[in-house]
């Protein structure tokens, strides 16, 4: 005989009642039937669970072990049943949205907009420096949508059935300490930064190669590149150790200014991805629209970016 939840409930009832007679009454069984059932349970568990005495029953060591486990298992199963019942009764308008993204302000802005238009949706996020990792999670069904990016016109992360749509294209800016000699400039020529050390966030795309190629066209090779997380990058720039590469939407940060590079030698293309087999076209179009509006809001919060867009007549 395999142990079932009803057997644990029977053991629990006998312990609570303190006697087979009272337990049989509580369970609505005849005492001989309960005694026979207890024997079957004890055979299944490999030993006696109770010792009978003049004043009722008391648990054996094995019985105490079973009772201890039942105190955990039975409430957990009851909670599961209640939660499942609530879920079954809940309106199906509530959605679950699993959003992935590389690090940056666009992900937070998109979540904020989605929460506004779908207040009942349950949203979870996953951030990664790796566009390929995000694409893999889309392919495996572990994400519904992912914000990723590519350098310039490079191809998006590959994956069978994946759909990528452009959210926006940003120029890549340079960040420097506000005390840097070039900080007062409206824009900076890449050649003027030939003697600098550099910092950027990691990634598995071609951005590093594109930057190196841009420097080569400007006639120099970067002295050093610190590839690190955002907080460390900001620190390196603030203390004057390096100048940083950033998307034009980089938020205002104390002691740091962001400046466009003359001629826009580097661009970053924001992409929204999903799997064609798991997302309806109307749902994907709605999330894409929200991502584009989120980007517009983030861009509007950057003074240097809005000045650049005005100078280049970007709507």
């Amino acid at each position: 005989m395999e142990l079932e939840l009803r057997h644990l409930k029977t053991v629990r009832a006998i312990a609570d009642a303190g006697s087979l007679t009272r337990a049989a009454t509580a369970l609505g069984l005849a005492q001989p039937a309960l005694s026979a059932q207890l024997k079957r349970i004890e055979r299944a568990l490999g030993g006696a669970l109770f010792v009978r005495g003049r004043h009722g029953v008391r648990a054996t060591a094995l019985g105490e072990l079973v009772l201890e486990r039942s105190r955990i298992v039975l409430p957990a199963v009851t909670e599961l049943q209640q939660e499942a019942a609530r879920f079954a009764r809940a309106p199906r308008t509530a959605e679950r949205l699993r959003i992935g993204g590389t690090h940056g302000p666009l992900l937070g802005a998109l979540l904020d907009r989605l929460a506004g238009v779908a207040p009942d949706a349950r949203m979870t996020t996953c951030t990664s420096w790796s566009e390929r990792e995000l694409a893999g999670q889309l392919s495996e069904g572990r994400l519904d949508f992912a914000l990723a990016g590519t350098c310039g016109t490079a191809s998006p992360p590959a994956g069978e059935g994946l759909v990528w749509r452009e959210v926006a294209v940003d120029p890549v800016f340079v960040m420097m300490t506000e005390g840097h000699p070039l900080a007062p400039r409206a824009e900076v020529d890449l050649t003027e930064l030939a003697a600098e050390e550099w910092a950027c966030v990691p990634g598995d795309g071609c951005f590093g190669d594109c930057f190196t190629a841009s420097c080569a066209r400007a006639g120099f090779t970067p002295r050093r590149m610190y590839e690190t997380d955002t907080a460390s990058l900001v620190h390196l720039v603030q203390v004057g150790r390096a100048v940083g590469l950033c998307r034009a939407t980089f938020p205002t940060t104390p002691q740091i200014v962001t400046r466009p590079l003359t001629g826009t030698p580097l661009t970053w293309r924001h992409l929204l991805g999903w799997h064609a087999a798991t997302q309806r076209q109307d749902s994907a179009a709605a999330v894409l629209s929200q991502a584009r509006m989120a980007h517009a809001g983030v861009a509007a919060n950057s003074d240097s970016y809005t000045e650049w867009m005005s100078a280049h007549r970007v709507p």
Side-chain angles (χ1 to χ4, degrees):
M1 183 188 75
E2 293 186 358
L3 190 67
E4 301 176 12
L5 285 174
R6 62 187 179 91
H7 298 143
L8 292 180
K9 292 178 180 178
T10 297
V11 174
R12 180 78 263 166
I14 294 171
D16 291 342
S19 78
L20 287 176
T21 301
R22 288 192 293 270
T25 301
L27 293 170
L29 298 173
Q31 182 175 330
L34 180 58
S35 297
Q37 186 179 100
L38 176 59
K39 289 180 181 179
R40 290 194 296 271
I41 295 172
E42 289 176 328
R43 282 197 299 270
L45 291 172
L49 301 180
F50 296 98
V51 175
R52 295 169 177 79
R54 292 178 58 189
H55 303 291
V57 298
R58 60 178 178 83
T60 63
L62 177 59
E64 290 290 355
L65 174 65
V66 173
L67 289 168
E68 181 181 349
R69 296 294 188 271
S70 71
R71 293 186 187 101
I72 299 171
V73 172
L74 292 176
V77 172
T78 299
E79 183 178 355
L80 172 61
Q81 292 172 328
Q82 293 171 346
E83 185 175 350
R86 287 193 299 269
F87 183 84
R89 292 192 301 268
R92 294 277 71 81
T93 53
E95 294 183 79
R96 179 182 65 166
L97 281 174
R98 301 165 298 173
I99 313 292
T102 50
H103 300 250
L106 182 55
L107 177 60
L110 175 58
L111 292 174
D112 181 40
R113 293 199 63 87
L114 291 175
V117 299
D120 295 328
R122 295 179 298 154
M123 285 185 279
T124 58
T125 61
C126 171
T127 55
S128 172
W129 295 115
S130 169
E131 284 85 8
R132 286 197 292 267
E133 180 182 353
L134 293 172
Q137 293 193 51
L138 284 176
S139 297
E140 296 165 6
R142 291 189 285 145
L143 287 177
D144 298 310
F145 296 94
L147 285 169
T150 63
C151 177
T153 58
S155 299
E160 185 176 354
L162 296 188
V163 178
W164 295 98
R165 292 290 181 267
E166 186 177 288
V167 175
V169 179
D170 288 337
V172 173
F173 280 11
V174 62
M175 62 168 67
M176 58 187 69
T177 177
E178 59 188 8
H180 194 284
L182 298 176
R185 298 276 193 88
E187 64 178 30
V188 178
D189 195 285
L190 190 57
T191 58
E192 298 177 282
L193 300 168
E196 300 287 349
E197 295 185 356
W198 297 82
C200 73
V201 296
D204 52 16
C206 62
F207 183 78
D209 293 335
C210 293
F211 171 65
T212 301
S214 296
C215 293
R217 288 192 292 271
F220 71 95
T221 300
R223 290 177 56 196
R224 177 182 291 177
M225 174 63 78
Y226 300 96
E227 193 173 83
T228 185
D229 63 278
T230 304
S232 298
L233 184 154
V234 167
H235 175 77
L236 290 171
V237 174
Q238 285 174 328
V239 300
R241 170 60 61 186
V243 295
L245 294 167
C246 66
R247 302 164 195 174
T249 53
F250 190 83
T252 302
T253 304
Q255 305 172 44
I256 285 179
V257 297
T258 59
R259 295 292 180 259
L261 291 166
T262 304
T264 315
L266 292 165
T267 58
W268 184 259
R269 190 160 57 116
H270 297 278
L271 301 170
L272 180 73
W274 62 89
H275 198 288
T278 59
Q279 299 300 326
R280 301 195 315 268
Q281 288 187 2
D282 57 341
S283 298
V287 175
L288 178 60
S289 175
Q290 293 299 323
R292 288 170 173 167
M293 287 188 283
H295 177 271
V298 169
N301 287 328
S302 170
D303 292 339
S304 58
Y305 195 10
T306 54
E307 291 171 5
W308 182 90
M309 287 189 288
S310 177
H312 290 76
R313 299 181 180 179
V314 176

